[in-house]
Amino acid sequence: MLKNLLDKNNNTAILLAGILAIIVGVGVARFAFTSLLPYMLEDFLSLTYAGVLASFNFAGYLAGAVFSIFIKDINTKVKYFRIGMILSIFMSLVLATTTNETLWLVSRIIAGFGSAMVLIVGASIVMVKLNFENKTKAMGIHFSGIGFSIVISELISQYVLKNGTWSDAWLALSLFAFIVSFYSLYILSFDNVIKKEAVKHTLSKSIFSTYVILLILAYFTEGVGFVVQGTFLPDIINSLEGLEGYGNLGWLIVGIAGIPSSILWMRLAHNYGSVNVIIIAMALQIVGILIPTLSTNIYLNLLSGALYGSTFIGLVALFLNLGGQLAGKNPVVLMGAMTAAYGIGQVGAPLYSVALIEHFGNYNSTLYVTAFIVFVGILFLLYAKRVEKVK
């Protein structure tokens, strides 16, 4: 068993390495910020500055997503994946060792770029390396790493916070990421024989049909739908009357619900079609977004977290996998373009969020606007289905 896990061409080893990479590049470099936000708000961050930091992080992610579109050679992909892993670790370490606001802004941008390299380029490496005829279900397992990344970063944070500070938690997370990164960097690479056979694929503009553009626009709205709860969910729950202190439990449930979600959604997509399943997932996400505006019931608000976790992770997997299938031999092209649109939604959402929160004094207006934008995404997808049917 151990020998198999050290085999670069073993499917189990490839999937494990991919999941661990996501824990580093997405869990530590991105979601730990959400987990630790209530504690950082208590003695360091203002809500506005937290929103700006989130926006800067997503701007770095957007830059990475656009950059990834032009990485065609598999050897170059491996190089930038490695760079992404290193940046994710060291930029998280910055948050543990300083409270300099400028350094935090810079580190969030660079960490965002690193996350994009790990998630987008890393996923394309996993897709190339896996030895399956139909890789849809396997990629569902790979993207379950996003759920694991939330759960593991949250558990590490909460364990450290029992006796330490949020900066201690950042330090522990950075150390954990450093240790597990060695395995991912080793497995997600190619030996000399495969290197010689690496093929460069040219970038084709013909894949950007009306249907694909509508999918990209829908993914933009999902980028907005992801951000508000993805940045503020623990604080949203803590801000509700009688629910103070339950925010991090809600966030843990997000991760737990997210772990099987991409596998289940991918299976449903295999049976009923990706676009149909994406529409259902986005509709459920709207319900989850609106729950905190309608009730202060603890169980309903924990359900909100579960709906969020079980949809946003599945939607990332569904959209990126669909992009990979539509793009053919160069999956990173369309996956990158779609994630760029998602990234634009991510950059704008924290900024309008903090503006509305400060104006109205609660999260309700932000959640209403976000739910409406996701609904527009469903309309784009319904139109995309009509366009495809006419074809």
Side-chain angles (χ1 to χ4, degrees):
M1 180 67 184
L2 183 62
K3 189 179 177 184
N4 288 342
L5 289 178
L6 293 174
D7 178 0
K8 289 185 182 183
N9 299 309
N10 179 274
N11 285 327
T12 305
I14 293 163
L15 288 169
L16 177 59
I19 288 168
L20 287 173
I22 291 173
I23 290 169
V24 172
V26 181
V28 174
R30 168 65 196 98
F31 285 129
F33 186 87
T34 303
S35 173
L36 294 168
L37 183 59
Y39 304 93
M40 295 188 293
L41 286 171
E42 281 176 15
D43 71 340
F44 172 55
L45 292 181
S46 67
L47 193 63
T48 301
Y49 186 50
V52 171
L53 286 169
S55 188
F56 270 58
N57 183 245
F58 294 130
Y61 190 85
L62 171 58
V66 173
F67 181 78
S68 71
I69 297 170
F70 303 100
I71 308 174
K72 295 185 277 287
D73 175 44
I74 193 69
N75 303 309
T76 312
K77 287 177 188 177
V78 171
K79 182 174 82 174
Y80 279 102
F81 167 72
R82 289 173 174 171
I83 289 169
M85 291 285 281
I86 293 163
L87 292 177
S88 296
I89 295 163
F90 284 99
M91 292 305 105
S92 301
L93 195 59
V94 169
L95 305 191
T97 53
T98 179
T99 52
N100 182 291
E101 293 192 355
T102 306
L103 286 177
W104 273 50
L105 286 172
V106 172
S107 74
R108 290 286 79 198
I109 294 171
I110 298 172
F113 181 87
S115 294
M117 293 301 103
V118 173
L119 188 60
I120 305 166
V121 181
S124 74
I125 294 169
V126 169
M127 199 180 272
V128 169
K129 282 185 71 79
L130 284 171
N131 304 305
F132 291 116
E133 268 189 48
N134 186 347
K135 299 182 182 182
T136 301
K137 289 176 185 175
M139 288 309 291
I141 295 169
H142 170 71
F143 286 116
S144 73
I146 299 173
F148 279 112
S149 77
I150 293 173
V151 170
I152 290 171
S153 61
E154 172 66 17
L155 290 175
I156 291 171
S157 297
Q158 291 306 312
Y159 180 78
V160 175
L161 284 164
K162 282 179 184 175
N163 298 303
T165 64
W166 56 261
S167 58
D168 295 331
W170 278 118
L171 190 61
L173 287 162
S174 303
L175 182 62
F176 170 79
F178 177 74
I179 293 166
V180 301
S181 66
F182 285 95
Y183 183 75
S184 297
L185 293 172
Y186 171 72
I187 297 293
L188 298 181
S189 60
F190 294 89
D191 57 40
N192 292 331
V193 176
I194 294 174
K195 274 188 177 182
K196 288 175 185 171
E197 294 171 3
V199 178
K200 290 190 178 184
H201 300 295
T202 54
L203 182 62
S204 171
K205 292 176 184 173
S206 62
I207 59 168
F208 293 101
S209 62
T210 304
Y211 175 71
V212 167
I213 289 167
L214 286 165
L215 291 180
I216 291 170
L217 287 170
Y219 201 38
F220 158 78
T221 69
E222 175 50 27
V224 174
F226 155 74
V227 163
V228 179
Q229 288 176 298
T231 302
F232 301 111
L233 187 132
D235 200 53
I236 290 171
I237 294 177
N238 287 341
S239 72
L240 297 173
E241 192 179 341
L243 301 189
E244 300 86 354
Y246 282 101
N248 283 88
L249 175 60
W251 185 243
L252 185 64
I253 286 171
V254 169
I256 293 168
I259 290 170
S261 70
S262 55
I263 301 166
L264 296 172
W265 286 117
M266 293 291 242
R267 185 166 293 176
L268 289 168
H270 185 70
N271 293 332
Y272 302 105
S274 291
V275 176
N276 293 330
V277 172
I278 288 169
I279 289 169
I280 293 165
M282 288 175 78
L284 286 172
Q285 187 176 75
I286 290 170
V287 174
I289 290 168
L290 291 175
I291 284 173
T293 70
L294 303 170
S295 173
T296 58
N297 180 283
I298 178 62
Y299 299 108
L300 283 176
N301 279 280
L302 292 179
L303 173 64
S304 169
L307 285 172
Y308 173 65
S310 62
T311 54
F312 97 83
I313 296 170
L315 284 162
V316 170
L318 289 164
F319 272 105
L320 292 185
N321 184 67
L322 181 58
Q325 288 178 341
L326 292 170
K329 289 186 177 179
N330 198 0
V332 82
V333 175
L334 193 46
M335 286 163 76
M338 292 172 91
T339 308
Y342 190 80
I344 293 167
Q346 288 177 317
V347 172
L351 300 178
Y352 80 68
S353 295
V354 292
L356 289 171
I357 293 159
E358 293 211 332
H359 183 75
F360 291 101
N362 59 44
Y363 283 96
N364 287 3
S365 54
T366 294
L367 294 170
Y368 292 139
V369 170
T370 304
F372 175 74
I373 291 169
V374 177
F375 176 70
V376 171
I378 291 175
L379 297 181
F380 282 137
L381 289 169
L382 290 170
Y383 186 58
K385 282 187 68 177
R386 282 186 61 188
V387 167
E388 192 67 358
K389 203 172 180 182
V390 170
K391 252 172 75 179

